[in-house]
Amino acid sequence: MTGRIIFGIFAGLAGGFATGAGFVAFLTVLGVIPRLTQLTKTMKMIHYYEGAIIAGVVAGTWFGLQETEFFLPPFLLIPIGLADGVFNGMLAAALTEVLNVFPVLSKRIGIQEKIIYLLMALVLGKIAGSLFQWIYFVDM
């Protein structure tokens, strides 16, 4: 029994370290945060971005481990969901810009002159998928 507990602790810590290292490598090596501050012209506030990421990761980890439930009224969930969507969208946009995903993809499939259609298909697909999830799975 003690061996199982020690193995569980070791596996949990190893998984946490691996995930944390991957997240830090993603943000650091790809330069997502500096590029985001450059695009938004808020280079002076880079320390706030870093602090917000650290606070968000720590708070998310804490709430995830405590199985905390927030009972918020639906009108407060809308701005929270919008902020979450903006964050994820900005992070994905920064990643694709850093890696030049869309130009490479459009060149490979032969639609260089119609890249706007590729972007619109991705945007509309994301919107449709999000709406489907909200309408079908969220009970309000």
Side-chain angles (χ1 to χ4, degrees):
M1 187 66 159
T2 304
R4 288 180 133 182
I5 293 172
I6 291 173
F7 178 74
I9 291 171
F10 175 74
L13 282 173
F17 285 139
T19 304
F23 185 68
V24 168
F26 169 71
L27 293 176
T28 310
V29 172
L30 296 177
V32 173
I33 300 302
R35 183 68 180 137
L36 183 60
T37 60
Q38 185 181 24
L39 288 173
T40 59
K41 296 178 179 57
T42 55
M43 288 295 283
K44 294 180 217 168
M45 303 177 127
I46 194 165
H47 297 297
Y48 294 114
Y49 282 92
E50 293 168 349
I53 288 171
I54 292 168
V57 167
V58 169
T61 302
W62 177 258
F63 290 134
L65 291 173
Q66 299 300 317
E67 296 181 17
T68 304
E69 292 183 20
F70 295 106
F71 298 101
L72 299 174
F75 68 88
L76 285 178
L77 294 177
I78 292 171
I80 292 171
L82 285 173
D84 184 42
V86 167
F87 172 76
N88 287 327
M90 294 286 281
L91 201 59
L95 177 61
T96 55
E97 183 172 330
V98 168
L99 295 177
N100 292 325
V101 170
F102 294 130
V104 171
L105 179 64
S106 67
K107 193 173 196 178
R108 296 239 172 154
I109 61 176
I111 58 166
Q112 296 94 325
E113 62 278 349
K114 297 182 181 179
I115 196 168
I116 191 70
Y117 295 123
L118 175 65
L119 293 174
M120 290 307 296
L122 291 170
V123 168
L124 294 174
K126 177 68 177 166
I127 291 170
S130 297
L131 286 174
F132 175 76
Q133 179 184 0
W134 271 92
I135 291 170
Y136 189 73
F137 290 113
V138 175
D139 295 327
M140 293 181 86

